Amino acid sequence: MNPLQLWRHACLATLTGDDWGLVDDGALLTEGDRIAWVGPMSALPEAGRHAQAHDLGGRLVTPGLIDCHTHLVYGGHRAREAEMRLNGASYEAIARAGGGIRSTVAATRAASEGELLASAARRLDALMAEGVTTLEIKSGYGLSLEAEARCLRVARALGADRRIDVRTTFLGAHALPPEFEGRSDDYIRAVCDWLPALHAQGLVDAVDAFCEGIGFTPAQTRRVFEAAQVLGLPVKLHAEQLSDQGGAALAASFGALSCDHLEYLSADGIRAMKTAGTVAVLLPGAFYMLRETRLPPIAALREAGVPMAVSTDHNPGTSPGLSLLLAAHMACTFFRLTPLEAVRGIMAHAARALGLRDRGQLSAGQRADFVAWDLEHPNELTYWFGHNPCHRVVVGAQERP
């Protein structure tokens, strides 16, 4: 059986080089789950003339989308809390009424594994329908060993059940659970103790923490990162969202894959991220939902050459969006990214934020993850909103049903 497949009759946006990398009347030759050749049909290698052929209908074809920061697995929702906030209630009033992250923790702990899987699957399906082929899912709403393990198992199951690559991140240091009230150091000790067991079960690809005044201190974050380092696990960080805690520089000192949010990122943090090769992950959905006014330092990141990724940050409290294309549109509208920067941000740079170098572009050797769009040019990916132009999705050279 010929392992080669030819995907022809397309306008390719390869995203190689410094521009869109457009190839008119282009084609992809795949072998196994990899791209073997990319180029114009007029230059098709002889071997490609005998491959199984697929007609892409003249459509625009790009790499698959990558959502590199989500909290997709949780119980319940917080629509009532959002209504209270829109009606003028303060954060403190919402917390007193039983809202905030602890309400999600309670709902998540109460949910069975099957219930968590069913609700997360519905959310995942929405992202997949828009061309997402790789996704990160963080834990962080269980905040106990049992509940965190349950959430991570659900994330693994989602990847096994659907044609999508799911990467899991342990975010035990997300918030302080009620049983550890006033004992944050004890809780961080527990998080560090849980990590080897979760890793031994094959549930953890990376480790994250929330380093913030309302989260955990830099010293506590360092302890979590040191525990990850012992196990050889890469780290990521929710950094500088509400204040400058120096978290980005701390994370960079551990070679962090990414620092995420970054509205209060300092010049020192930018330099540290550049030196470490750490990706800046921009989360415009949370910026929008919280009505923030302080922008991440986009111009300084751009000037320093720090790669910028864009993600939905899907979560029930501050970013319940389920459209990565809308996040890219918001990154252009709110943060002033160019369309090319935003599209790279949901493809190659998002892949780097997950430690993946084998996707996000259309070139030989990359995973054969790509999307055919009912669009004429890739700049339309950040132009339209409230509309899904995804026509066809291929993951590992297999068409998604």
Side-chain angles (χ1 to χ4, degrees):
M1 180 178 177
N2 190 345
L4 294 175
Q5 297 186 78
L6 175 64
W7 307 82
R8 59 181 177 81
H9 194 198
C11 173
L12 304 178
T14 64
L15 294 172
T16 55
D18 296 326
D19 56 18
W20 296 107
L22 294 175
V23 179
D24 291 326
D25 192 22
L28 297 159
L29 193 61
T30 61
E31 184 171 13
D33 65 354
R34 300 282 152 173
I35 297 173
W37 174 86
V38 179
M41 270 298 291
S42 60
L44 180 68
E46 179 61 29
R49 303 186 186 282
H50 307 287
Q52 178 185 358
H54 307 267
D55 191 330
L56 295 171
R59 291 180 174 84
L60 173 72
V61 172
T62 72
L65 305 190
I66 299 170
D67 199 350
C68 63
H69 181 132
T70 84
H71 306 252
L72 206 68
V73 178
Y74 54 85
H77 61 76
R78 281 151 65 186
R80 173 57 182 153
E81 174 183 326
E83 181 184 17
M84 292 172 66
R85 186 166 58 243
L86 291 171
N87 284 333
S90 67
Y91 179 85
E92 291 76 15
I94 290 170
R96 285 197 302 271
I101 191 170
R102 285 189 175 180
S103 67
T104 299
V105 171
T108 302
R109 289 178 171 184
S112 69
E113 199 157 322
E115 289 168 335
L116 290 173
L117 181 62
S119 62
R122 290 192 293 271
R123 295 186 280 268
L124 178 60
D125 287 345
L127 291 167
M128 290 175 61
E130 210 176 60
V132 173
T133 56
T134 300
L135 177 89
E136 186 230 33
I137 299 178
K138 302 178 190 293
S139 67
Y141 287 117
L143 306 187
S144 70
L145 176 57
E146 178 188 0
E148 288 288 292
R150 184 161 66 245
C151 291
L152 290 167
R153 284 196 301 270
V154 167
R156 284 281 191 246
L158 289 168
D161 290 347
R162 283 163 165 73
R163 195 162 292 162
I164 188 168
D165 187 4
V166 173
R167 299 288 161 147
T168 58
T169 296
F170 173 54
L171 182 56
H174 190 197
L176 194 64
E179 62 270 23
F180 280 88
E181 185 69 47
R183 298 188 296 123
S184 59
D185 280 337
D186 289 344
Y187 179 64
I188 290 297
R189 185 178 303 111
V191 167
C192 294
D193 288 345
W194 301 339
L195 182 53
L198 295 171
H199 180 49
Q201 295 173 54
L203 296 176
V204 182
D205 295 320
V207 175
D208 198 349
F210 184 34
C211 184
E212 190 53 75
I214 62 171
F216 297 96
T217 68
Q220 291 168 334
T221 300
R222 176 180 291 276
R223 289 168 57 192
V224 174
F225 285 178
E226 287 172 346
Q229 191 174 55
V230 167
L231 297 171
L233 289 167
V235 301
K236 304 162 68 71
L237 187 65
H238 286 62
E240 274 73 275
Q241 181 185 9
L242 305 172
S243 62
D244 181 9
Q245 299 286 318
L250 170 64
S253 73
F254 284 84
L257 295 175
S258 73
C259 292
D260 306 28
H261 287 291
L262 302 177
E263 281 83 346
Y264 287 81
L265 179 64
S266 69
D268 287 344
I270 293 173
R271 283 191 292 270
M273 290 174 65
K274 171 62 176 177
T275 299
T278 300
V279 177
V281 178
L282 307 175
L283 304 173
F287 176 91
Y288 165 78
M289 185 81 170
L290 293 174
R291 297 177 173 178
E292 293 289 349
T293 57
R294 180 168 178 133
L295 298 170
I298 301 300
L301 288 165
R302 184 184 289 134
E303 183 178 359
V306 174
M308 293 180 284
V310 176
S311 178
T312 62
D313 185 23
H314 177 83
N315 73 80
T318 62
S319 188
L322 286 166
S323 171
L324 187 54
L325 292 181
L326 180 58
H329 170 87
M330 287 179 170
C332 293
T333 303
F334 295 143
F335 295 167
R336 305 297 190 267
L337 263 62
T338 68
L340 179 59
E341 286 174 330
V343 170
R344 287 188 189 280
I346 58 174
M347 296 179 189
H349 292 164
R352 286 187 60 179
L354 297 178
L356 303 171
R357 300 281 184 152
D358 66 345
R359 63 201 73 185
Q361 296 180 328
L362 299 180
S363 61
Q366 293 269 294
R367 268 179 58 95
D369 295 351
F370 52 90
V371 182
W373 307 92
D374 287 322
L375 300 171
E376 296 177 0
H377 192 279
N379 60 20
E380 293 182 71
L381 290 170
T382 62
Y383 169 70
W384 304 103
F385 60 95
H387 162 65
N388 182 5
C390 178
H391 176 80
R392 190 172 179 180
V393 182
V394 175
V395 182
Q398 296 185 54
E399 189 155 7
R400 182 184 285 166

